[in-house]
Amino acid sequence: MKPSLRNVSIGWRVALALALPSLAMLAFGWWATLNQYRSAVEAGRIRGMVEFAAVVNSLVHAIQTERAMSTAVIGSRRGEFDQALKARQLETDLVRTRFVQALKELEVARLSDDLEMQAALARQVVDRIDVWRSVVEQRGITAPMLIESYAAVVADLMRVVQEMLVLKNQPDLVRALSAYSRLMQAKEFAGMERALGVAGFGGGGFDRGTVKRMVELIDRQRLLLDEFRFLAGPSQSDWLDRGWAGVDTIALDEMRQGVVEAPSLGDIRNVALPQWLNVTTRRIDLLRDAEVRISSQLQQQARELESSAIRAAIGIASAMALALMASALVAAILGRDIIRPLQRITQAMRRLAERREVSDIEEDGRADEIGDMVHALQVFKQNLVQVVQAEAQLKGAVALREKERYQRALLDSFPFMVWLKDTNSRFMAVNQAVADSYGVANPDQLVGKTEFDLLDYDTASRIRDEDLAVMQTRQNSVLELQRVMAPDSEPRWVEVYKAPVTDDFGAVLGTVGFIRDITERKLQQEEIRQLALYDPLTQLPNRRLFSERVNHAIALARRDQARLALVFVDLDRFKPVNDSLGHAVGDLLLRAVARRMQQCVREADTIGRVGGDEFEVLLPSIDDAEQALVVAEKIRQALNQPFELTGGYVVSISSSSGVAIYPEDGEDESTLSRAADAAMYRAKALGRDNVQFYQPGLVM
């Protein structure tokens, strides 16, 4: 072990001694912080599910109320509940919209596969309400069938909340969620009892099966409420009992007893339907208030768990950071007093051995062993400097003359402007091309001058700033500029290159640069780009560029939750024009079509030619499908007008267009384009010269 450590530097030995305990501490802190973070994430998920459960429960309550009103409408012959049902349906639709939005925002996939499946099923069954509403409006369903149909929807929604119970590992939350579930079930049985009563009182009597079902529902309510009282605790159960105490309890028991113990099943004339509906609704509303109280309590518990875990994670991370700072401080002290001085002395000795410049070492005044080493190094440095200076004086004159000759030959060999400048931007050397640009015969006439001596102040200031930036950053600079070389000449592109010049010790001596004409290269690049991305006949974007813009627009629409439209336009009767008048006239017609279409769209829209007589139009950021229809119809009407072409030709054509909307008809460029194409073919099939929207079922 000793021989191996002798080959390791002192700095690494000290760093190893400090790093091992620091790494252990860092690992422990990371583990503890990660555990707290996981707890915070779990609490956040619990809170999100509780908030979602509250939305589900609001929808359940709305459906239960609509069920009772629908049952009353079926049993009523005079239609006195019809208006009330319509108002209740509007309220249910508002709650259903909030449920759909909350379902989109809920990250069910990260919670449980079963919960994801239950949520998706609930979303589907909720849509069945629209079917039952139509049946109720036509009086085409019996009250028991309607009650059971609505009960199936409520059961699916309640299973979404019940599924959450198996996900939690917090005993207090599990107990509260269990109480919440019992209360939801009791309220559902109360709602079914209310609906059966509405059907009976509204229809004038109860059959034996209905009476038996109501007795069963009453018993299950009592059992579930007893379980709720046990799970929720005294505060919640006492609040519920106080809210129901009084006249309503007595009235409900009397009406129940009248139904169950009536001498004749049809003898219920002493109970009015509105009385039954009002009393049972107040009871259900009370259960709903209890649900809201428990939901608020659950959300508060989840927030407290989340906040507690976050505070613990922050505390652990802070303690770990303080400990690491203390370790870093100890390492810094050791590095400053021992390791760094030794490294500087070693580096200085190496530079002296290579005859390179060495700056003064700060430890020159120390009284310990390091100070003695620095003093000896300074003496050696002074002696070496004297030797180097003597050698430099002997070689300097000859080397300078040779350097100047080579420099002049090198500069004049370049076919473009080349120069050397000092730190004050004075020309040290230039080639003949630079002299010619300034109208000077001999390049030596520019030596010692700056741009301030040769150009206007603003131009000279800009060039000086560029030189300073190159010298300060010590980074090469390459600029492509468009300049007018003479008032009566075309603009030319030039490339300006600048680089810093340094000595053997890294000190900046000035800059070197050149300017060359790259106009031909820029023109070639632009021509290649034009051929690659634009249709050479109409100068419209070709299929490749159009596809890129559609993909970009879809990405923006997905981010902003916006809509866009894709319009596929196909010219009718273009082939007969091409065949009878020739391709030259056909090309003239296509150019005229492109110009007219461009006059029909906004600047933000894009028209592309994607085939012989096929065009596509991208309409980003539309408010609705009607806006896309307006643009498509405007294009159709514009193309219906006769075209007066060069050579005296007058041509009349029409167009068939298909419209596809993002995201309804497709969420990617390929699907959306196929949908618009299918809609266009439908327009062709319907007699041409019209605009059609994509409809599901069209062949794509």
Side-chain angles (χ1 to χ4, degrees):
M1 178 63 72
K2 288 184 179 180
S4 61
L5 289 178
R6 288 174 182 172
N7 296 327
V8 179
S9 66
I10 295 176
W12 279 109
R13 297 183 199 180
V14 175
L16 184 62
L18 294 173
L20 291 177
S22 298
L23 289 175
M25 178 179 58
L26 181 63
F28 173 77
W30 174 257
W31 173 80
T33 303
L34 184 61
N35 283 341
Q36 293 299 327
Y37 172 75
R38 289 173 178 169
S39 300
V41 171
E42 178 65 19
R45 291 178 180 176
I46 294 173
R47 175 176 53 78
M49 288 191 295
V50 171
E51 293 173 352
F52 178 69
V55 176
V56 174
N57 207 1
S58 297
L59 180 59
V60 168
H61 185 72
I63 292 174
Q64 291 169 339
T65 306
E66 181 177 327
R67 174 178 58 192
M69 197 62 63
S70 299
T71 307
V73 168
I74 292 176
S76 172
R77 297 185 178 89
R78 295 176 296 177
E80 60 267 29
F81 293 100
D82 290 354
Q83 293 299 324
L85 176 59
K86 291 181 179 179
R88 168 47 54 187
Q89 289 174 349
L90 290 176
E91 295 180 12
T92 302
D93 289 339
L94 291 176
V95 180
R96 179 165 57 169
T97 300
R98 291 197 296 270
F99 165 76
V100 173
Q101 183 62 33
L103 188 60
K104 292 179 180 178
E105 297 173 356
L106 181 67
E107 298 182 3
V108 292
R110 296 177 56 190
L111 302 175
S112 163
D113 292 339
D114 293 336
L115 179 57
E116 181 180 10
M117 181 181 66
Q118 292 293 342
L121 179 62
R123 173 67 181 89
Q124 295 175 3
V125 299
V126 165
D127 292 337
R128 299 180 198 164
I129 297 175
D130 296 327
V131 178
W132 300 328
R133 287 177 177 176
S134 176
V135 176
V136 170
E137 184 177 358
Q138 300 172 3
R139 306 298 197 274
I141 189 172
T142 64
M145 291 178 61
L146 179 65
I147 293 171
E148 293 301 325
S149 298
Y150 271 94
V153 177
V154 173
D156 287 330
L157 290 172
M158 291 174 60
R159 273 194 289 271
V160 176
V161 178
Q162 293 168 352
E163 183 65 32
M164 297 179 185
L165 295 176
V166 302
L167 301 176
K168 306 295 160 279
N169 55 9
Q170 299 288 339
D172 293 340
L173 286 175
V174 171
R175 186 182 183 91
L177 280 170
S178 299
Y180 190 60
S181 175
R182 301 298 192 282
L183 194 61
M184 286 181 63
Q185 296 177 58
K187 187 162 72 70
E188 167 58 7
F189 292 141
M192 294 179 66
E193 179 192 0
R194 174 177 63 182
L196 289 173
V198 168
F201 290 120
F206 295 84
D207 56 27
R208 295 185 182 277
T210 303
V211 173
K212 182 178 179 182
R213 179 61 172 159
M214 289 185 68
V215 171
E216 179 184 352
L217 292 173
I218 293 169
D219 291 340
R220 297 186 71 176
Q221 289 177 59
R222 290 171 178 166
L223 176 61
L224 288 169
L225 288 175
D226 288 341
E227 293 179 359
F228 164 76
R229 292 183 178 92
F230 172 74
L231 293 169
S235 61
Q236 297 288 353
S237 58
D238 291 346
W239 180 87
L240 184 64
D241 292 338
R242 287 195 303 271
W244 187 239
V247 179
D248 283 344
T249 304
I250 298 174
L252 179 61
D253 290 340
E254 289 177 351
M255 287 186 286
R256 286 172 169 174
Q257 187 174 2
V259 172
V260 175
E261 299 179 359
S264 172
L265 292 177
D267 189 13
I268 55 172
R269 290 169 294 179
N270 59 331
V271 178
L273 173 59
Q275 180 186 4
W276 168 264
L277 188 60
N278 291 336
V279 172
T280 53
T281 298
R282 283 197 296 272
R283 184 169 188 266
I284 291 173
D285 289 343
L286 178 65
L287 296 176
R288 168 63 179 161
D289 293 340
E291 287 177 342
V292 173
R293 285 170 57 88
I294 294 179
S295 176
S296 300
Q297 177 184 349
L298 284 168
Q299 293 181 37
Q300 182 62 30
Q301 286 179 283
R303 291 191 188 97
E304 291 175 355
L305 282 173
E306 186 176 8
S307 299
S308 176
I310 291 175
R311 286 195 300 270
I314 293 175
I316 294 173
S318 300
M320 182 175 64
L322 290 175
L324 289 176
M325 289 174 61
S327 299
L329 180 61
V330 172
I333 293 173
L334 291 176
R336 182 192 63 186
D337 290 343
I338 299 175
I339 299 173
R340 290 297 299 163
L342 290 176
Q343 290 177 343
R344 284 194 289 268
I345 293 171
T346 303
Q347 185 179 11
M349 294 180 68
R350 288 174 180 167
R351 293 178 67 89
L352 287 175
E354 298 170 357
R355 295 196 175 187
R356 298 168 62 187
E357 180 67 22
V358 176
S359 59
D360 294 335
I361 301 177
E362 298 175 359
E363 288 76 12
D364 192 13
R366 293 178 58 157
D368 56 2
E369 291 82 354
I370 293 178
D372 294 339
M373 293 174 63
V374 173
H375 180 69
L377 181 63
Q378 295 287 12
V379 174
F380 178 73
K381 173 186 173 182
Q382 294 174 0
N383 295 333
L384 185 60
V385 167
Q386 294 175 0
V387 173
V388 171
Q389 290 176 347
E391 292 178 351
Q393 290 175 356
L394 294 175
K395 298 178 181 179
V398 176
L400 181 59
R401 288 193 298 270
E402 292 180 353
K403 182 177 180 181
E404 290 177 349
R405 284 196 296 269
Y406 281 115
Q407 177 179 286
R408 171 56 56 196
L410 177 63
L411 292 177
D412 289 338
S413 67
F414 289 106
F416 43 79
M417 294 187 289
V418 182
W419 67 85
L420 291 169
K421 295 181 183 179
D422 63 10
T423 54
N424 294 318
S425 292
R426 289 192 298 263
F427 287 114
M428 301 298 294
V430 299
N431 67 351
Q432 188 62 48
V434 176
D436 294 340
S437 68
Y438 286 110
V440 176
N442 188 350
D444 292 337
Q445 292 180 259
L446 297 178
V447 174
K449 295 182 180 294
T450 68
E451 276 83 2
F452 288 98
D453 301 321
L454 304 168
L455 301 171
D456 62 89
Y457 181 81
D458 291 339
T459 304
S461 297
R462 178 179 56 79
I463 295 175
R464 173 60 175 167
D465 291 340
E466 294 173 359
D467 293 343
L468 288 175
V470 170
M471 290 186 288
Q472 290 171 358
T473 62
R474 301 196 181 194
Q475 297 293 326
N476 298 350
S477 172
V478 180
L479 300 175
E480 290 186 357
L481 304 174
Q482 190 178 35
R483 293 181 175 177
V484 178
M485 308 308 291
D488 57 347
S489 64
E490 293 293 330
R492 306 291 293 178
W493 281 93
V494 296
E495 180 181 65
V496 181
Y497 173 85
K498 294 182 180 181
V501 179
T502 59
D503 62 10
D504 293 340
F505 302 104
V508 176
L509 300 177
T511 59
V512 61
F514 64 79
I515 297 178
R516 62 180 176 180
D517 192 320
I518 59 169
T519 303
E520 295 301 325
R521 187 180 73 187
K522 296 292 290 187
L523 292 177
Q524 291 173 0
Q525 291 174 349
E526 182 61 28
E527 182 179 357
I528 292 172
R529 179 180 180 275
Q530 189 73 16
L531 291 174
L533 300 178
Y534 290 88
D535 173 45
L537 178 63
T538 63
Q539 299 305 309
L540 294 176
N542 60 14
R543 183 182 295 275
R544 173 185 171 187
L545 178 57
F546 186 81
S547 177
E548 291 178 359
R549 292 188 180 178
V550 172
N551 284 319
H552 180 68
I554 289 176
L556 293 179
R558 186 179 294 113
R559 183 197 66 186
D560 300 334
Q561 296 185 350
R563 306 173 76 189
L564 62 83
L566 200 62
V567 183
F568 198 106
V569 181
D570 185 86
L571 303 183
D572 301 327
R573 301 189 301 277
F574 175 75
K575 189 176 185 301
V577 173
N578 220 18
D579 293 342
S580 61
L581 300 180
H583 293 289
V585 176
D587 291 346
L588 291 175
L589 178 59
L590 289 174
R591 292 193 189 98
V593 167
R595 288 193 295 271
R596 285 196 185 177
M597 291 181 66
Q598 287 175 316
Q599 296 172 358
C600 298
V601 298
R602 305 166 298 180
E603 290 186 5
D605 303 332
T606 300
I607 301 175
R609 184 187 178 203
V610 297
D613 59 346
E614 296 176 341
F615 300 84
E616 284 192 86
V617 184
L618 169 64
L619 304 175
S621 302
I622 62 171
D623 298 327
D624 50 33
E626 185 65 26
Q627 185 177 353
L629 178 60
V630 170
V631 176
E633 184 63 25
K634 185 177 180 182
I635 293 174
R636 185 191 69 80
Q637 294 177 4
L639 298 183
N640 269 357
Q641 303 301 317
F643 290 86
E644 296 182 0
L645 306 177
T646 303
Y649 296 101
V650 178
V651 178
S652 295
I653 61 171
S654 62
S655 63
S656 300
S657 301
V659 183
I661 305 298
Y662 169 88
E664 291 91 334
D665 301 332
E667 297 186 354
D668 57 72
E669 184 269 338
S670 177
T671 305
L672 205 61
S673 181
R674 291 200 306 272
D677 186 57
M680 182 273 294
Y681 276 109
R682 185 169 185 267
K684 291 276 191 184
L686 293 177
R688 308 183 183 230
D689 192 19
N690 67 92
V691 179
Q692 294 294 323
F693 279 98
Y694 173 75
Q695 297 179 1
L698 292 178
V699 178
M700 297 175 60

